[in-house]
Amino acid sequence: MEETKTILVTGGTRGIGKQVALKYAQSGYNVAINYVSENTDTKSLEKELKEAGAKDVLLIKANVTNSEEISKLIEEIITKYGAIDVLVNNAGITKDNLLMRMNEEEFDKVIEVNLKGTYIVTKAVTKYMMKKRKGSIINLSSVVGVAGNAGQCNYSASKAGIIGFTKSLAKELASRNIRANAVAPGFIETDMTSVLPENIKENISSQIPLKRMGTAKEVAELVYFLGEDTSSYITGQVINIDGGMLM
Ligand code: NAP
């Protein structure tokens, strides 16, 4: 019988992370998720993931910027499931502003959650992947990390940083049979983009070759492919999923 695999999705309670968790649940994975919001309805999320097919579910409040909380989270996953086969660094935030109006708190917070958080979680997880000599790490970057975007100097810097981080990681860990790739979504319909006014969304969609925003499910399909052995010869890549925005 095939062993049950385990995935950790950071920030998997909503949006892209939740769809990634559901996709892996459908393949019978143990699904571990962390989050930060006090009012997260963990009971109904656990039920949804189990109904989707998850072998087991672990939902733990742990901030990606807090290395102690993350260490405890990883230890708990390892104690329960013995390994982490796939890590998806998905937790992320925006604090948009034009550079002239952007204060240091807005800059630091976005770098801290998006980039340093990815470092903290990856460092804690790779220790166990190295022992197993197998693993796949998928980091959520963004098209704006590749192309930039007015009003998002902090966010673009964090997402460009994730690309450099991913490529270095891929080079460091390839000899241990651990792959690392980044996905760079364009505009995806989630809470993160729901704050944009309707006219801005329409304007964005009109400039996308496929003439629409993407869905979290579409991103989850790509993240699933990168986590599985079907992508076993792909590492150190940045894969755009953006309806043709960047080409
Ligand atoms: P979202 O709907 O806003 O969800 C963000 C998730 O991250 C939530 O589950 C949130 O947890 C979690 N989170 C935030 N800060 C955290 C922290 N410090 N520690 C742990 N978890 C934390 O975002 P999304 O649109 O799905 O985006 C997911 C990822 O894709 C992000 O990295 C984002 O930058 C990237 N991305 C998104 C788009 C897009 O158009 N949506 C485009 C390109 C890239 P709580 O629920 O507890 O707050």
Side-chain angles (χ1 to χ4, degrees):
M1 212 174 76
E2 237 180 75
E3 72 172 309
T4 302
K5 290 194 274 187
T6 300
I7 182 171
L8 167 61
V9 188
T10 69
T13 49
R14 298 187 271 130
I16 294 171
K18 181 178 172 184
Q19 291 305 322
V20 168
L22 282 166
K23 179 72 196 170
Y24 281 84
Q26 284 161 13
S27 291
Y29 271 70
N30 295 316
V31 178
I33 286 173
N34 71 308
Y35 58 92
V36 278
S37 294
E38 294 289 347
N39 52 2
T40 303
D41 185 353
T42 51
K43 284 232 161 67
S44 67
L45 182 57
E46 181 174 349
K47 189 168 173 273
E48 205 177 334
L49 287 162
K50 284 204 169 141
E51 280 172 2
K55 175 94 194 258
D56 199 32
V57 175
L58 198 60
L59 298 167
I60 294 182
K61 188 167 175 287
N63 195 317
V64 293
T65 66
N66 185 321
S67 45
E68 273 177 33
E69 285 179 15
I70 293 302
S71 285
K72 278 194 199 147
L73 164 77
I74 305 305
E75 274 167 33
E76 202 165 333
I77 299 171
I78 295 294
T79 306
K80 218 166 171 208
Y81 306 130
I84 296 173
D85 300 280
V86 180
L87 165 65
V88 181
N89 282 304
N90 165 81
I93 58 165
T94 51
K95 285 190 184 292
D96 298 349
N97 223 336
L98 293 170
L99 180 66
M100 284 304 151
R101 294 197 202 120
M102 186 181 290
N103 62 37
E104 287 192 32
E105 199 272 334
E106 288 167 332
F107 186 84
D108 289 345
K109 194 72 206 164
V110 169
I111 299 289
E112 190 190 11
V113 174
N114 298 2
L115 185 55
K116 193 172 176 198
T118 297
Y119 150 78
I120 289 173
V121 180
T122 305
K123 192 173 173 194
V125 170
T126 46
K127 189 169 106 185
Y128 296 99
M129 286 184 170
M130 282 164 90
K131 274 190 197 156
K132 201 179 174 190
R133 289 196 156 259
K134 193 169 176 14
S136 178
I137 299 165
I138 300 121
N139 297 326
L140 267 293
S141 179
S142 165
V143 288
V144 308
V146 180
N149 193 25
Q152 291 197 306
C153 280
N154 50 358
Y155 183 76
S156 316
S158 74
K159 295 298 181 181
I162 284 174
I163 292 173
F165 179 85
T166 305
K167 290 182 178 181
S168 300
L169 193 66
K171 287 185 177 178
E172 279 186 28
L173 300 179
S175 63
R176 312 289 179 107
N177 196 29
I178 299 166
R179 299 183 293 114
N181 291 288
V183 300
F187 286 89
I188 309 299
E189 286 167 19
T190 67
D191 293 348
M192 190 175 268
T193 47
S194 68
V195 292
L196 296 170
E198 238 8 85
N199 61 329
I200 301 277
K201 281 201 231 174
E202 277 164 25
N203 189 29
I204 290 169
S205 294
S206 71
Q207 288 168 41
I208 298 170
L210 285 180
K211 299 283 174 225
R212 65 172 175 88
M213 291 172 72
T215 66
K217 269 191 181 169
E218 289 172 315
V219 180
E221 292 290 341
L222 173 60
V223 173
Y224 182 72
F225 168 67
L226 291 170
E228 286 283 283
D229 285 347
T230 36
S231 61
S232 53
Y233 204 50
I234 301 177
T235 195
Q237 303 304 305
V238 183
I239 303 183
N240 300 334
I241 175 158
D242 61 3
M245 276 174 81
L246 299 189
M247 49 168 111

